[in-house]
Amino acid sequence: MPGKHVAGAPDEPCRRCKDKISVLVVRSEPLCHECFARYVHTKCIKRLESFRVNFGAPEQQRRILVPLSFGVSSVTLLHILDLHLKTQKSKTGRTGFAISVLYIEEPDQPLEAEELLHKARKQDPDHQYASLPLHDVFRLIPDDASIRNLVPQLEHTNDSSPQEQLARLIDSLTSATARADVLTTLRTRLIVEHAKLAGCDSILWGDSTTRLAQRTLAETAKGRGFSLPWQVSDGESPFGINFHYPLRDVLKKELISYISMSEPGLAALVHETSSGVTQASTSSKNTTIDDLMKQYFESVEENFPSIVANVVRTTSKFEVRPGAASDPRCSLCSMPVPGGRFGIHGWGGDQEDGDNISSVKPTRNICYGCTRSIPKLATNTNGN
Amino acid sequence: MAPSPCALCKVNRALILRPKDHSKLCKTCFIIVFETEIHHTITTNVLFTRGERVAIGASGGKDSTVLASVLKTLNERYDYGLDLILLSIDEGIKGYRDDSLETVKRNAEQYGMELTILGYEELYGWTMDQVVEQVGKKGNCTYCGVFRRQALDRGASRLGVKHVVTGHNADDIAETVLMNLLRGDLPRLSRTTSIITSTPSVSADPLSNTNIKRSKPLKYAYEKEIVLYAHHKNLDYFSTECIYSPEAFRGSARALIKNLERVRPSAILDVVRSGEDMVKLVPGSDEGCGGVCSSSVPAAEENEGGCGSAQGRSTGGEMATVEAQLRHNEIAAADSLETEITAKSVNGKGNGNGKQPGQHESGTVILSNDKKAKKGFVPKKANKQVMGQCKKCGYLSSQEVCKACVLLEGLNKARPKNKIEVGDEVQDVSLNSVRDEMQATSIGGA
């Protein structure tokens, strides 16, 4: 095909309905507004097979959790799920599931949680909405000892507030990459805990194809290749709750188009922290590995969308090792670590000689990737 | 800024910011640490046995020059008892290899090592210049790449050497891990991350060139440190940097690795670690055997085309080609037109051997020069390649006849007569030619 049309107005009829004028080109197909919306809906709903109306047990309503960040993807997901429920209701008088929505308030994030949730509630009033501060992770995780051990302790106090603990943990990290990594990990764990407490059997994440590809390479770069089978796959997660990524077949740029063409009420919900194309940070000090991968896939997505999709498809082919369920878990990210090989020592690329290792014997059970982010306990601040 | 003392000896002034972990070291300590780490790699992986004769694949570039220098030093310091020799391959391209071969000759003198230079002419009966004359400029990179892959092994077996070491470094491995994720090639991902590759059980014939063991002592060494080491030891090497097309997969992965290294110095090592862990997650992998099991995919694989230095030029549209193929497959899948034009027809030949079909039948994206290359995309399982021997030359091959022999047959057939068959054969090759210039450039693949 000679060149692509810009996503403007190609002036061609829609390839699908052959009737209306197309408004954008989606994977080399010019589509009209309606057909594009249907395209996005279909891709998402196709992934929801297991959430059909259960006529066998009508009194048992399944509950799922949708983490809402007010980004393009999670807003779109919630909207499509809402439409889907309405369709189910109109067709059968019932729904296949009920939705709990959770927003996580990050430290230093100026988003007005209350106001946003209020708007979201107005848009889709039928769901349960909740908002939790990230430091609640220290309150909610039941065996909080292990995760709390990672927080550098002050000399005598042991009973500081979760808020202080989070601040102290984040302050102890020495790079932007480490901070972003740990925050993401804590967010996931808090979402999981909340989902369990709210009686949800599944979490439906808003991640697009692009985002999943990005995560694949970012986790690889952070030394978490071992955890890839759980990073992008639908189904059982190591957290004892199911993970689903219904937008896994939709590209980020398609979701952006979707929102931009949607009713104003929906677009008004979106509060992307970084709008549009991710800027290359001028200083590598503030750049994170996640940022790098985000930039990278935003550019690959532009011209090579199928390559992005192929990364995700390839990653989904990784198989969970038999017996992984009984492997010891990382205290931070909670991923099963093969053979309990915690820390960054004891493999081929570890160049420390044997005598050195015993002295650095891990006192904490955290995986290779988490150890890179939290290299040393605060008491031992030799650079790494 | 006040000069800080070396973090190790605490005496000398630190002059080197170590790329791997940003520790501040003096020159002497850096050199010692660099060498000790390679010693550590060699001993923990038991790369060598006493009395072994080991050929260093030498191109005159920084990696192989540093490898030769370090191995000589360590062999003396720790008394490995190795008989080290240099082995260089001359593709027979006038004016291209001359300088680097001169460098290798000087290295041989400097290190007191025996040097053998083997030409494509001696190994295959054809220099690259002659090949180009025969097939034209287009597509000749396939020949060069396929020939080169086998050249080190063939050369080694001529010399009666059972072990070839190559200069692949951590950056190379990390790049390959990302690249194979990007193009969805799980079988190759498994293969390129292991430090030793060999297939001991394929043939009992001691003269067979399938019994060559390959290893990468610099697997965990950073490229930047290799350059620093060469610089501070005043090593004599020749810069033959390949110009990768920014569009190609490896170029893309390379840029990514460089950026990652800037953001977090350990990232290169971390990607290598991820790569090693991911191998165990590839369906049907031989967990933990390090690629040495007889059933695992072998050291040198012949179905990769392309030549390192020509890579940039010949594959400018590599990603675009793959994108087009993938999209085609997606459309086919969406229309339920799934299809016999897929892997089966490609693998047909392998079946005659009683081997499983399944080479690359795995959602692997076949990167091909040939636009006609038909590759189905029906990923279910990442099958591994089943290796046998080429019935002509005895070289490892997943096909009945290895790529080099197929190519040679085409060339030789055409020599007296017209080039009737060449077109077909070329196409045949490029069907399977996933290029991987790390293996192509190198004197030898993983």
Side-chain angles (χ1 to χ4, degrees):
Chain A
M1 258 191 81
K4 288 196 322 174
H5 287 288
V6 222
D11 264 357
E12 273 182 67
C14 169
R15 188 75 56 82
R16 298 211 169 167
C17 66
K18 315 256 190 295
D19 178 26
K20 302 206 178 58
I21 290 292
S22 61
V23 290
L24 82 173
V25 176
V26 178
R27 311 203 192 186
S28 63
E29 258 190 314
L31 296 183
C32 70
H33 191 156
E34 287 76 21
C35 288
F36 172 62
R38 200 172 307 124
Y39 162 91
V40 175
H41 292 175
T42 312
K43 291 226 161 205
C44 176
I45 289 165
K46 218 168 62 187
R47 289 281 163 191
L48 298 174
E49 293 271 300
S50 54
F51 299 95
R52 277 180 295 207
V53 178
N54 183 355
F55 294 100
E59 68 287 348
Q60 276 183 333
Q61 179 70 294
R62 290 179 75 175
R63 181 160 284 282
I64 56 135
L65 185 85
V66 177
L68 184 64
S69 67
F70 293 102
V72 165
S73 307
S74 56
V75 166
T76 306
L77 175 62
L78 185 59
H79 178 64
I80 297 176
L81 290 175
D82 193 60
L83 291 177
H84 189 51
L85 287 182
K86 288 186 175 120
T87 313
Q88 285 183 336
K89 187 107 189 172
S90 71
K91 277 188 183 160
T92 68
R94 299 201 193 122
T95 56
F97 54 93
I99 299 176
S100 287
V101 178
L102 176 64
Y103 173 72
I104 305 289
E105 302 151 40
E106 307 262 334
D108 314 325
Q109 227 179 30
L111 284 198
E112 292 297 331
E114 273 316 305
E115 193 188 322
L116 284 171
L117 281 175
H118 179 69
K119 273 201 250 175
R121 208 175 272 127
K122 238 167 67 184
Q123 184 78 14
D124 304 315
D126 301 335
H127 319 310
Q128 289 183 357
Y129 289 85
S131 158
L132 291 177
L134 184 57
H135 57 74
D136 266 5
V137 71
F138 291 104
R139 189 172 59 81
L140 287 188
I141 289 192
D143 55 340
D144 60 353
S146 61
I147 197 167
R148 208 167 271 177
N149 278 346
L150 301 170
V151 180
Q153 292 299 328
L154 293 178
E155 288 304 315
H156 32 272
T157 69
N158 213 5
D159 52 350
S160 48
S161 69
Q163 207 161 352
E164 281 169 46
Q165 293 188 6
L166 178 65
R168 219 179 307 137
L169 176 60
I170 299 304
D171 284 348
S172 74
L173 305 178
T174 50
S175 70
T177 294
R179 285 187 288 273
D181 184 51
V182 171
L183 284 173
T184 307
T185 303
L186 293 177
R187 194 184 308 128
T188 306
R189 296 211 51 186
L190 177 56
I191 291 170
V192 166
E193 282 319 308
H194 176 80
K196 287 181 181 168
L197 292 172
C200 300
D201 63 26
S202 303
I203 300 177
L204 271 59
W205 302 91
D207 304 53
S208 60
T209 313
T210 318
R211 179 65 189 265
L212 293 174
Q214 181 191 317
R215 178 175 317 144
T216 296
L217 263 72
E219 294 307 315
T220 302
K222 290 189 272 185
R224 286 203 196 90
F226 75 94
S227 73
L228 284 182
W230 297 291
Q231 296 286 353
V232 306
S233 301
D234 281 355
E236 218 175 303
S237 75
F239 299 100
I241 193 166
N242 290 322
F243 280 11
H244 289 271
Y245 302 92
L247 295 178
R248 63 162 58 248
D249 295 324
V250 189
L251 295 165
K252 180 71 185 282
K253 65 176 179 186
E254 292 167 350
L255 293 174
I256 293 172
S257 302
Y258 181 87
I259 288 286
S260 74
M261 290 179 202
S262 65
E263 49 185 299
L266 195 58
L269 278 182
V270 173
H271 277 255
E272 290 272 304
T273 33
S274 64
S275 56
V277 179
T278 310
Q279 296 290 320
S281 176
T282 41
S283 125
S284 56
K285 216 181 141 208
N286 298 326
T287 310
T288 67
I289 287 181
D290 299 321
D291 290 341
L292 273 183
M293 292 305 175
K294 190 156 180 255
Q295 283 161 28
Y296 179 75
F297 278 105
E298 275 170 6
S299 74
V300 174
E301 178 193 65
E302 216 31 66
N303 293 308
F304 309 112
S306 299
I307 286 178
V308 179
N310 194 40
V311 171
V312 179
R313 210 158 20 203
T314 304
T315 314
S316 332
K317 270 184 284 182
F318 284 122
E319 281 177 353
V320 173
R321 286 163 292 104
S326 53
D327 276 329
R329 302 302 183 86
C330 168
S331 331
L332 183 51
C333 70
S334 204
M335 289 294 169
V337 177
R341 280 202 304 163
F342 296 115
I344 52 171
H345 296 293
W347 67 293
D350 172 27
Q351 307 288 358
E352 308 256 339
D353 267 327
D355 42 317
N356 227 337
I357 293 178
S358 47
S359 62
V360 210
K361 199 169 165 274
T363 48
R364 328 162 284 171
N365 294 342
I366 60 175
C367 72
Y368 183 95
C370 288
T371 308
R372 283 293 185 208
S373 284
I374 311 185
K376 298 269 156 66
L377 285 169
T379 49
N380 183 358
T381 45
N382 279 5
N384 185 36
Chain B
M1 228 188 332
S4 40
C6 168
L8 286 179
C9 66
K10 324 265 189 220
V11 176
N12 298 331
R13 227 176 109 182
L15 287 174
I16 295 173
L17 184 66
R18 208 186 158 190
K20 202 178 213 168
D21 57 8
H22 283 196
S23 57
K24 291 172 188 155
L25 302 180
C26 70
K27 182 178 147 181
T28 321
C29 286
F30 169 72
I31 285 172
I32 292 288
V33 160
F34 183 83
E35 289 167 352
T36 308
E37 291 190 355
I38 291 162
H39 170 63
H40 188 257
T41 304
I42 289 169
T43 49
T44 50
N45 291 288
V46 202
L47 294 191
F48 303 124
T49 53
R50 207 176 169 74
E52 198 175 15
R53 194 164 151 86
V54 177
I56 301 167
S59 66
K62 60 176 169 28
D63 298 314
S64 59
T65 303
V66 165
L67 179 60
S69 167
V70 169
L71 285 185
K72 178 185 163 61
T73 306
L74 295 178
N75 193 27
E76 288 163 7
R77 181 179 304 156
Y78 297 101
D79 189 27
Y80 292 161
L82 296 180
D83 180 11
L84 296 168
I85 62 167
L86 297 172
L87 174 57
S88 288
I89 302 300
D90 183 1
E91 296 89 348
I93 306 173
K94 277 208 177 54
Y96 163 66
R97 268 284 177 225
D98 303 358
D99 290 336
S100 54
L101 287 176
E102 284 312 310
T103 311
V104 178
K105 285 178 193 162
R106 286 197 303 276
N107 288 159
E109 267 175 45
Q110 289 153 1
Y111 304 146
M113 290 179 194
E114 187 188 305
L115 164 68
T116 308
I117 300 178
L118 280 173
Y120 277 11
E121 168 123 59
E122 293 155 273
L123 291 168
Y124 302 104
W126 290 79
T127 67
M128 273 314 291
D129 285 343
Q130 289 169 333
V131 172
V132 171
E133 210 173 288
Q134 178 85 358
V135 305
K137 288 233 164 93
K138 201 181 162 202
N140 75 81
C141 296
T142 309
Y143 286 78
C144 193
V146 168
F147 286 171
R148 190 199 299 250
R149 194 130 302 108
Q150 291 192 8
L152 272 187
D153 288 6
R154 289 184 181 225
S157 82
R158 289 241 184 137
L159 301 172
V161 176
K162 304 264 94 189
H163 190 170
V164 178
V165 292
T166 55
H168 294 118
N169 59 41
D171 298 53
D172 294 332
I173 311 278
E175 259 169 54
T176 308
V177 169
L178 294 192
M179 185 173 71
N180 286 322
L181 277 176
L182 285 174
R183 61 184 190 190
D185 191 340
L186 294 186
R188 183 157 284 106
L189 179 76
S190 316
R191 190 164 354 129
T192 43
T193 48
S194 31
I195 189 160
I196 307 174
T197 43
S198 65
T199 49
S201 61
V202 172
S203 164
D205 176 5
L207 290 176
S208 149
N209 53 15
T210 65
N211 276 337
I212 310 293
K213 172 173 155 190
R214 293 276 192 104
S215 65
K216 309 172 191 130
L218 302 183
K219 179 185 173 186
Y220 300 111
Y222 276 35
E223 184 174 274
K224 281 184 177 170
E225 301 201 352
I226 289 171
V227 174
L228 274 177
Y229 183 85
H231 172 74
H232 287 290
K233 291 271 283 187
N234 284 318
L235 298 186
D236 183 4
Y237 68 92
F238 183 76
S239 297
T240 40
E241 283 296 310
C242 299
I243 315 298
Y244 294 102
S245 158
E247 216 187 338
F249 280 96
R250 182 170 286 276
S252 192
R254 163 165 295 214
L256 209 44
I257 287 289
K258 295 288 172 220
N259 285 333
L260 284 171
E261 184 185 17
R262 209 171 303 137
V263 169
R264 184 187 260 186
S266 71
I268 293 177
L269 207 53
D270 299 343
V271 173
V272 174
R273 164 67 182 248
S274 283
E276 290 183 7
D277 287 340
M278 273 143 64
V279 169
K280 297 164 194 157
L281 308 172
V282 174
S285 70
D286 292 303
E287 180 167 356
C289 79
V292 194
C293 308
S294 56
S295 60
S296 113
V297 188
E301 171 50 305
E302 79 285 9
N303 58 8
E304 291 145 34
C307 153
S309 55
Q311 197 63 25
R313 271 161 280 145
S314 63
T315 60
E318 192 185 3
M319 286 179 95
T321 311
V322 173
E323 172 69 20
Q325 274 179 22
L326 286 169
R327 192 173 297 184
H328 175 84
N329 293 330
E330 279 168 7
I331 293 168
D335 298 349
S336 325
L337 283 180
E338 233 11 295
T339 76
E340 298 90 294
I341 35 167
T342 56
K344 274 184 192 121
S345 58
V346 181
N347 292 317
K349 283 164 287 158
N351 299 343
N353 234 354
K355 307 286 179 201
Q356 278 177 8
Q359 143 135 336
H360 275 137
E361 199 174 318
S362 50
T364 297
V365 178
I366 299 298
L367 305 184
S368 165
N369 284 337
D370 190 334
K371 296 226 169 63
K372 277 179 279 179
K374 309 164 231 162
K375 184 61 189 85
F377 190 81
V378 205
K380 270 285 157 336
K381 274 198 108 127
N383 292 332
K384 64 188 157 179
Q385 296 159 322
V386 177
M387 301 307 292
Q389 278 178 274
C390 169
K391 68 179 184 187
K392 289 204 160 172
C393 69
Y395 192 79
L396 273 169
S397 173
S398 52
Q399 312 285 308
E400 223 174 311
V401 176
C402 76
K403 284 288 146 342
C405 287
V406 170
L407 287 174
L408 279 173
E409 200 184 318
L411 286 170
N412 292 334
K413 229 183 245 170
R415 207 166 223 171
K417 289 198 346 187
N418 279 332
K419 23 185 157 179
I420 347 163
E421 296 286 356
V422 173
D424 262 3
E425 305 290 5
V426 173
Q427 177 184 341
D428 200 41
V429 166
S430 39
L431 271 176
N432 281 328
S433 72
V434 178
R435 60 183 50 98
D436 178 338
E437 60 272 23
M438 172 184 125
Q439 306 189 331
T441 355
S442 70
I443 359 208

